[in-house]
């Protein structure tokens, strides 16, 4: 059931953002109201020009817009909060967020927390 939820979440993100599912990785899920630690990766094919930071910013904007394609998806209809932190790939273990402003462009990963 947990794997199915993760798969659905990634598929709905990819569909809403017109991106490859390979760009999204569910890092952790927490119980209670579901809290998702999501990692956004560079496009492995190189076809999508958006950086992880740009894609994460687009995700945050869609999450805050009740009329967006993302919020119309079943998994995201009850979304209450989205936080964003950029995570550089160098010198940073996976799953450890770095405090970097969302507007700073560095290659690597973007972390998005959703509740």
């Amino acid at each position: 059931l947990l794997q199915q939820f993760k798969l659905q979440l990634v598929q709905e993100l990819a569909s809403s953002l017109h991106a490859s599912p390979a760009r999204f990785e569910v890092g952790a899920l927490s119980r209670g109201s579901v809290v998702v630690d999501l990692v956004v990766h560079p496009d492995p094919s190189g076809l999508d020009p958006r950086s992880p930071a740009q894609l994460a910013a687009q995700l945050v904007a869609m999450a805050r817009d009740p009329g967006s394609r993302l919020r119309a998806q079943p998994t995201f209809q009850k979304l209450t909060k989205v936080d964003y932190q950029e995570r550089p790939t160098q010198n940073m273990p996976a799953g450890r967020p770095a405090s970097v402003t969302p507007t700073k462009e560095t290659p690597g990963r973007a972390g998005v927390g959703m509740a």
Side-chain angles (χ1 to χ4, degrees), residues 1-114:
L1 191 60
L2 185 59
Q3 280 305 113
Q4 184 179 15
F5 175 76
K6 287 181 179 181
L7 180 62
Q8 181 177 351
L9 181 114
V10 167
Q11 291 295 333
E12 290 177 4
L13 281 169
S15 173
S16 296
L17 292 162
H18 302 291
S20 166
R23 297 205 61 187
F24 304 100
E25 174 188 348
V26 177
L29 293 173
S30 302
R31 292 188 183 260
S33 60
V34 178
V35 178
V36 178
D37 178 25
L38 179 77
V39 178
V40 182
H41 295 284
D43 182 20
S45 71
L47 297 175
D48 187 343
R50 295 173 293 180
S51 71
Q54 290 168 327
L55 193 57
Q58 192 174 7
L59 167 60
V60 170
M62 289 179 85
R64 292 180 178 158
D65 176 4
S68 72
R69 290 185 309 265
L70 179 71
R71 295 295 296 273
Q73 300 287 346
T75 304
F76 295 96
Q77 288 178 349
K78 295 182 180 180
L79 183 68
T80 59
K81 180 180 173 187
V82 176
D83 294 319
Y84 166 68
Q85 292 183 324
E86 194 159 332
R87 299 177 183 174
T89 54
Q90 295 179 343
N91 304 320
M92 184 61 60
R96 301 274 183 176
S99 295
V100 179
T101 59
T103 55
K104 183 177 178 184
E105 288 292 325
T106 57
R109 303 156 27 132
V112 180
M114 297 179 284

